[in-house]
């Protein structure tokens, strides 16, 4: 598996997150810290405009009125935060170790 593709599945870039939040990238750049402090949004990575996918996914699922966040499929079923985290961990382990 391509390492870049694997790493991409672990993080959410600003464009993808802005789309999931129905906001612009500029709005997200101006307001991410306020969202963190007031709404519990996970912190972005210190070296760029990306966030841990599992944490953002769980946070979005817990937000009232938020659109369901899908990592790659448009038809992914809506999962509880715990189910989403487990699914993300299973995907990561499968891509790292393979198997059935």
């Amino acid at each position: 598996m391509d390492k870049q593709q694997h790493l991409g599945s672990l993080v959410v870039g600003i464009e993808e997150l802005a789309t999931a939040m129905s906001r612009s990238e500029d709005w997200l750049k101006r307001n991410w810290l306020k969202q963190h402090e007031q709404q519990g949004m996970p912190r972005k990575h210190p070296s760029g405009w990306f966030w841990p996918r599992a944490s953002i996914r769980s946070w979005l699922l817990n937000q009232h009125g938020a659109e369901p966040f899908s990592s790659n499929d448009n038809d992914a079923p809506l999962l509880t935060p715990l189910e989403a985290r487990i699914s993300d961990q299973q995907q990561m382990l499968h891509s790292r170790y393979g198997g059935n």
Side-chain angles (χ1 to χ4, degrees):
M1 167 170 265
D2 182 3
K3 286 184 182 184
Q4 201 171 33
Q5 182 182 10
H6 174 68
L7 290 177
S9 67
L10 296 176
V11 297
V12 176
I14 192 166
E15 181 180 352
E16 184 180 2
L17 181 55
T19 300
M21 293 177 68
S22 300
R23 299 288 188 165
S24 70
E25 291 179 40
D26 289 335
W27 183 91
L28 192 52
K29 285 180 179 180
R30 289 190 311 269
N31 292 286
W32 78 269
L33 187 56
K34 185 185 340 179
Q35 291 292 306
H36 168 69
E37 293 169 346
Q38 296 176 358
Q39 304 294 327
M41 178 181 181
R43 291 189 68 88
K44 72 175 193 65
H45 193 278
S47 67
W49 291 104
F50 53 94
W51 289 258
R53 183 173 297 278
S55 298
I56 285 293
R57 185 176 186 173
S58 295
W59 177 74
L60 284 173
L61 288 170
N62 284 316
Q63 297 301 302
H64 298 290
E67 290 294 317
F69 185 71
S70 170
S71 59
N72 289 322
D73 316 323
N74 290 334
D75 298 325
L78 182 60
L79 303 174
T80 67
L82 177 59
E83 290 171 332
R85 182 167 288 246
I86 291 169
S87 174
D88 290 341
Q89 289 173 346
Q90 286 174 333
Q91 181 182 1
M92 181 182 71
L93 289 169
H94 180 73
S95 64
R96 177 177 279 177
Y97 300 112
N100 298 326

